[in-house]
Amino acid sequence: MNTIFVKEYEQPRAWYVIDAAGKPLGRVAAKVAAILRGKNKVTYAKNQNMGDYVVIINADKVAVSGGKEQKKIYYHYTGFVGGLKAQSFETVIGRHPTDPLRLAIAGMLPHGRLGRALMDNVKIYAGSEHPHAGQNPIAIEL
């Protein structure tokens, strides 16, 4: 029996919406990463972009436990000597409410051309409004 390969442009794609308000950051990110990779489909291929589109709303209300608001640190290196910058979770979510979720999802995807293409399929919004109602997204509960 031969393996059936589906081309990326022939793959039907669905839209999902996830409400992240009060949900743990890691659980939301893991679920979104699996949907983006296409692991919920029988046509999953690890080297192809076979996943669906995901819209995340209320990203600014995502929950972290155990005092991680102050303890979780995000590092950024500028490329210059002594240029290591550090910010806590509450500082990052105060300035850019979608960044903690975006960084968590990107860390769970491949780090290369495929991972960058998969990140184009996730839309993250801080509030409860999103402009993708025309795609009729299916609500997913975690």
Side-chain angles (χ1 to χ4, degrees):
M1 174 176 261
N2 293 335
T3 303
I4 299 171
F5 289 102
V6 178
K7 295 178 176 63
E8 289 183 23
Y9 59 86
E10 292 176 351
Q11 176 69 29
R13 307 234 178 177
W15 283 75
Y16 297 103
V17 64
I18 295 178
D19 187 4
K23 307 288 191 316
L25 173 69
R27 290 185 192 226
V28 173
K31 182 70 172 175
V32 170
I35 293 171
L36 289 174
R37 290 294 309 265
K39 290 193 169 188
N40 57 340
K41 297 182 174 185
V42 295
T43 58
Y44 169 72
K46 66 179 185 175
N47 62 331
Q48 289 182 315
N49 184 358
M50 303 298 272
D52 297 320
Y53 294 95
V54 179
V55 178
I56 303 171
I57 57 174
N58 295 321
D60 55 343
K61 297 178 183 76
V62 71
V64 290
S65 62
K68 290 190 195 96
E69 291 87 7
Q70 292 85 25
K71 294 178 187 174
K72 185 169 179 58
I73 303 295
Y74 290 95
Y75 294 100
H76 170 71
Y77 182 62
T78 63
F80 292 95
V81 176
L84 183 64
K85 307 294 181 186
Q87 292 180 333
S88 67
F89 174 83
E90 61 185 359
T91 305
V92 172
I93 206 159
R95 290 187 182 158
H96 304 286
T98 61
D99 276 0
L101 203 50
R102 183 183 52 81
L103 291 170
I105 294 167
M108 296 180 185
L109 294 175
H111 303 291
R113 180 185 320 185
L114 179 61
R116 289 188 296 272
L118 291 171
M119 280 304 291
D120 290 339
N121 295 344
V122 64
K123 317 296 183 195
I124 306 173
Y125 299 100
S128 61
E129 301 294 322
H130 64 87
H132 305 287
Q135 282 77 25
N136 298 323
I138 301 163
I140 294 180
E141 288 295 324
L142 296 179

